[in-house]
Amino acid sequence: MAKPAELASTKELIEKYIRRNGVPSIWCPGCGIGTVVGSMLRAIDHLRLRQEDVVIVTGIGCSGLIYNYLRFDGFHGTHGRALAIATGIKAANPRLHVVVPMGDGDCAAIGGNHFIHAARRNIDLTAIVINNQIYGMTGGQSSPTTVQQSRTSTAPRGHLERPFDVCELAKGAGATYIARGVTSNPIQLADLLERAMAHKGFSVVEVLSQCPVQAGRRAGRSEPWEMLQWLKGVTVSAKRGTDDVSLGKFITGELLKEDAPEWTEEYDKLIAIAGGRS
Amino acid sequence: MTSSMPVLIEIDFDWCKACGICVNICPRKVLAEASDGSPEIIDARRCTRCLLCELICPDFAIRVGREK
């Protein structure tokens, strides 16, 4: 893992990657999305990816706005369809690094089908699932990752349903790199994102993040700092062993890494067999 | 560990949203919350350049001077 001082400074990130005329962002004070963006940019920088080789594709929701603040080519797509658009971009030009930040609703509800099929294909994309366990932009409704009993605008007496475990879902669907980070640890997060982007195949990094306004307020944690304390408390690093799973904690770190045939490479082989691209 | 030279910490108040994260996450209590909630540097000599505030700030608003 890179030491903090080896990661790009904020000054460097601003000079290289941020559209300054868009900042400050639309996100609420203390929203975790900005921290994820910072770690993502530091991962891209540490990997020394060329700016013109990186494409950022987003969907709809608070996370959908990520693309708007960055100096990369990209696409701000439709709700849940970021991975479908990213698949098209990657298939057309496999040389590109296609990074797809999504929210939990965007990825696991509206785009659930695209998510499992991108994983099944093992196409070389990096999905970043920013999981704040709520639909923030539309008013704090329960999402597929809302934990049971938490209060939301659609579940004022506590959420009834069981949540998806995004990492387990990705595993079941066939993703070949899976990790979980948390916004309270941006150094680990940058490292996981770097590993995910370097991986050949479909990579997923779930990031537990805070929405102080829509989720925190109803949980009695409206201060961003209280949300971060809470996230620290409900997570445990995989390096410390996984005994805490039974206590209902989220394991952070690298959860799965395996080699499997990657879709665009297999497609190229098929095209060669069929006589080349016309 | 207290370095003799204060570390240069810059805060961009045009970008800062006064969320309070940097103030509370600093292990050395270098920052305090001003009356409007924005961070205020109270003792830059206590800073160990752990960079946590800079790396976690969601708004790219706090920058810690690196070692020369």
Side-chain angles (χ1 to χ4, degrees), chain A residues 115-130:
Chain A
F115 183 63
I116 57 175
H117 290 287
R120 177 179 62 80
R121 286 186 195 110
N122 194 32
I123 183 161
D124 186 23
L125 306 171
T126 300
I128 306 173
V129 187
I130 305 168

Side-chain angles (χ1 to χ4, degrees), chain A residues 9-10 25 27 35 42 225, chain B residues 17 19 24 54-56 58 66:
Chain A
S9 70
T10 288
S25 70
W27 300 311
T35 305
R42 288 185 170 97
W225 168 243
Chain B
K17 293 176 187 160
C19 72
N24 287 285
E54 178 173 317
L55 298 178
I56 206 165
R66 307 290 172 105

Side-chain angles (χ1 to χ4, degrees), chain A residues 160-171:
Chain A
L160 184 75
E161 299 169 9
R162 294 184 299 170
F164 265 141
D165 179 326
V166 171
C167 292
E168 286 294 323
L169 180 65
K171 188 178 170 188

Side-chain angles (χ1 to χ4, degrees), chain A:
Chain A
M1 197 189 301
K3 292 196 178 81
E6 290 162 14
L7 296 170
S9 70
T10 288
K11 198 165 173 267
E12 289 170 303
L13 295 188
I14 293 167
E15 278 166 11
K16 274 182 166 168
Y17 304 115
I18 294 182
R19 286 184 209 272
R20 271 175 270 192
N21 54 4
V23 183
S25 70
I26 198 173
W27 300 311
C28 305
C31 171
I33 295 175
T35 305
V36 181
V37 173
S39 288
M40 178 182 85
L41 295 175
R42 288 185 170 97
I44 289 170
D45 194 82
H46 200 248
L47 273 176
R48 297 181 182 184
L49 300 182
R50 297 196 316 167
Q51 216 150 341
E52 57 267 41
D53 291 341
V54 177
V55 180
I56 307 286
V57 184
T58 58
I60 297 297
C62 302
S63 67
L65 298 159
I66 288 174
Y67 161 66
N68 304 26
Y69 301 116
L70 302 178
R71 292 169 64 196
F72 291 102
D73 287 332
F75 204 100
H76 184 174
T78 47
H79 209 353
R81 275 57 176 159
L83 282 170
I85 293 156
T87 298
I89 294 169
K90 184 72 185 180
N93 191 349
R95 188 178 56 82
L96 298 171
H97 290 270
V98 186
V99 183
V100 190
M102 298 173 283
D104 44 299
D106 198 34
C107 169
I110 298 94
N113 226 347
H114 292 296
F115 183 63
I116 57 175
H117 290 287
R120 177 179 62 80
R121 286 186 195 110
N122 194 32
I123 183 161
D124 186 23
L125 306 171
T126 300
I128 306 173
V129 187
I130 305 168
N131 180 4
N132 58 10
Q133 314 187 330
I134 201 95
Y135 284 95
M137 188 179 269
T138 51
Q141 295 85 357
S142 296
S143 89
T145 59
T146 301
V147 292
Q148 277 177 307
Q149 275 130 38
S150 51
R151 290 184 185 183
T152 69
S153 68
T154 47
R157 297 187 180 199
H159 186 59
L160 184 75
E161 299 169 9
R162 294 184 299 170
F164 265 141
D165 179 326
V166 171
C167 292
E168 286 294 323
L169 180 65
K171 188 178 170 188
T176 49
Y177 183 94
I178 303 169
R180 185 185 284 120
V182 58
T183 49
S184 58
N185 192 343
I187 301 156
Q188 178 201 41
L189 180 57
D191 180 56
L192 295 172
L193 289 169
E194 184 177 335
R195 288 163 189 266
M197 289 176 203
H199 176 76
K200 190 92 193 158
F202 189 69
S203 53
V204 178
V205 179
E206 179 191 13
V207 189
L208 298 173
S209 180
Q210 73 276 16
C211 174
V213 174
Q214 297 291 9
R217 180 164 52 93
R218 292 183 176 88
R221 293 185 283 265
S222 54
E223 290 296 327
W225 168 243
E226 295 173 309
M227 291 294 281
L228 283 172
Q229 288 280 62
W230 169 73
L231 284 170
K232 252 178 146 167
V234 297
T235 50
V236 61
S237 167
K239 284 181 187 154
R240 293 196 182 164
T242 49
D243 294 346
D244 287 325
V245 185
S246 55
L247 302 170
K249 295 207 178 188
F250 292 94
I251 304 294
T252 63
E254 204 169 86
L255 304 177
L256 178 97
K257 180 174 168 56
E258 62 185 28
D259 291 326
E262 191 274 325
W263 191 90
T264 58
E265 288 183 353
E266 294 303 301
Y267 183 76
D268 275 348
K269 284 183 204 162
L270 185 66
I271 290 298
I273 292 166
R277 288 183 192 255
S278 57

Side-chain angles (χ1 to χ4, degrees), chain B residues 8-58:
Chain B
L8 181 68
I9 302 166
E10 291 175 279
I11 300 164
D12 184 336
F13 290 101
D14 290 335
W15 288 22
C16 173
K17 293 176 187 160
C19 72
I21 289 177
C22 59
V23 174
N24 287 285
I25 206 151
C26 176
R28 302 284 294 171
K29 307 219 181 309
V30 169
L31 306 161
E33 243 172 64
S35 54
D36 64 350
S38 60
E40 199 172 48
I41 300 157
I42 51 169
D43 189 357
R45 277 174 307 185
R46 288 209 289 255
C47 176
T48 61
R49 290 194 176 93
C50 77
L51 302 175
L52 198 48
C53 60
E54 178 173 317
L55 298 178
I56 206 165
C57 174

